[in-house]
Amino acid sequence: MKKYRIGQIVPSSNVTMETEIPALFRSRETILPERFTFHSSRMRMKKVTKEELEAMDAMSLKCAQELSDAHVDVMGYACLVAIMSMGRGYHCVSEVNLHQETVANDFPTPIVTSAGALINGLKVLGAKKVAVITPYMRPLTDLVVDYIEHQGFEVVDSIALEIPDNLEVAAQDPMNLLEIYKRLDLTGVDVLVASACVQMPSLEAIDLIQKEIGIPVTSAAVCTTYEMMKKLGIEAKSAIGGELLSGKY
């Protein structure tokens, strides 16, 4: 039985990343032999504004050093909008910089950013046209839309719930998404991103929405989990999500 250490670089006010991602890994433990422990380092952030996100991102390198001290097997940067608000393609820059910190600390570690994981997840699902739900204010949501489109996808429609307080984002009932998504224009959409935010809970709703609309539904947390499992070289499966990112739940 192989045991893996999962490291997470987490905004100080994020309480969902350490809930949904472990839930997917724990669910996997019910069907496959590998086992996982979870280890976090935090960056200060309370309000989801561009200024706070930029200041928070500057702390990520220190977090990578701390997690590297624990010899984690993979690291996930748990804030999609922090990466996407820093400019187009910034997930590539961030992943290189964080990896270099682990190399300098003599324990090279694979890096996953939730932003990069979402982009990769959409590619795995073969998406061309997507719709997105975010908890962010509209200007930040527009940055996320632009970022996704710059990566080669068309965002047909998006919803910005406009919740600036990060703890309030975490307090959202994921089952509300069953009604929220109906406000989207899904004409021609290949994939629905039910939560483009690892702080806004969505896990319980993903399967139900997918059954209603008949197209793949995913989230930043699901994509991050998938990417972490791939970086570990293990099967990307979960008893919750089946074949992660297969569109089959």
Side-chain angles (χ1 to χ4, degrees), residues 93-115:
V93 176
S94 176
E95 289 164 12
V96 168
N97 290 342
L98 293 170
H99 180 68
Q100 286 176 342
E101 290 297 322
T102 71
V103 171
N105 202 33
D106 297 323
F107 197 80
T109 307
I111 304 295
V112 175
T113 62
S114 53

Side-chain angles (χ1 to χ4, degrees), residues 224-244:
T224 300
T225 305
Y226 173 91
E227 196 69 14
M228 283 180 162
M229 291 180 183
K230 287 296 186 182
K231 294 285 188 184
L232 292 172
I234 61 176
E235 292 180 83
K237 288 184 177 180
S238 169
I240 297 174
E243 296 280 350
L244 293 180

Side-chain angles (χ1 to χ4, degrees), residues 30-240:
T30 67
I31 57 175
L32 290 165
E34 293 85 3
R35 295 293 179 263
F36 310 93
T37 59
F38 302 90
H39 314 273
S40 298
S41 181
R42 309 188 91 76
M43 312 169 283
R44 287 298 308 280
M45 188 270 280
K46 295 172 73 174
K47 300 292 184 183
V48 191
T49 64
K50 196 172 188 308
E51 292 74 24
E52 281 208 35
L53 291 169
E54 184 174 348
M56 182 194 75
D57 182 68
M59 305 176 203
S60 64
L61 299 181
K62 177 177 178 289
C63 292
Q65 293 173 349
E66 293 172 353
L67 289 171
S68 180
D69 288 344
H71 286 194
V72 297
D73 297 294
V74 66
M75 277 183 214
Y77 185 122
C79 190
L80 177 139
V81 72
I83 294 290
M84 292 194 176
S85 67
M86 294 289 286
R88 293 171 170 179
Y90 183 70
H91 68 278
C92 299
V93 176
S94 176
E95 289 164 12
V96 168
N97 290 342
L98 293 170
H99 180 68
Q100 286 176 342
E101 290 297 322
T102 71
V103 171
N105 202 33
D106 297 323
F107 197 80
T109 307
I111 304 295
V112 175
T113 62
S114 53
L118 178 64
I119 297 302
N120 185 62
L122 294 176
K123 292 176 181 176
V124 170
L125 288 168
K128 293 183 175 60
K129 297 183 177 182
V130 303
V132 178
I133 301 171
T134 88
Y136 314 129
M137 303 302 287
R138 173 47 69 178
L140 283 177
T141 298
D142 289 343
L143 284 176
V144 169
V145 168
D146 178 75
Y147 195 102
I148 293 171
E149 292 197 321
H150 181 256
Q151 293 294 315
F153 307 97
E154 178 184 345
V155 180
V156 173
D157 200 4
S158 64
I159 289 174
L161 297 178
E162 301 206 82
I163 307 170
D165 185 271
N166 208 33
L167 282 177
E168 187 180 345
V169 171
Q172 300 305 298
D173 183 348
M175 301 309 287
N176 290 342
L177 290 167
L178 289 165
E179 293 303 317
I180 291 171
Y181 91 83
K182 293 175 183 176
R183 290 154 41 192
L184 289 164
D185 178 5
L186 297 178
T187 305
V189 166
D190 303 305
V191 177
L192 168 60
V193 181
S195 177
C197 172
V198 290
Q199 173 76 326
M200 186 171 79
S202 64
L203 200 54
E204 294 90 339
I206 288 175
D207 183 32
L208 297 172
I209 298 173
Q210 183 162 283
K211 287 176 179 175
E212 285 189 7
I213 65 178
I215 61 173
V217 179
T218 193
S219 71
V222 169
C223 290
T224 300
T225 305
Y226 173 91
E227 196 69 14
M228 283 180 162
M229 291 180 183
K230 287 296 186 182
K231 294 285 188 184
L232 292 172
I234 61 176
E235 292 180 83
K237 288 184 177 180
S238 169
I240 297 174

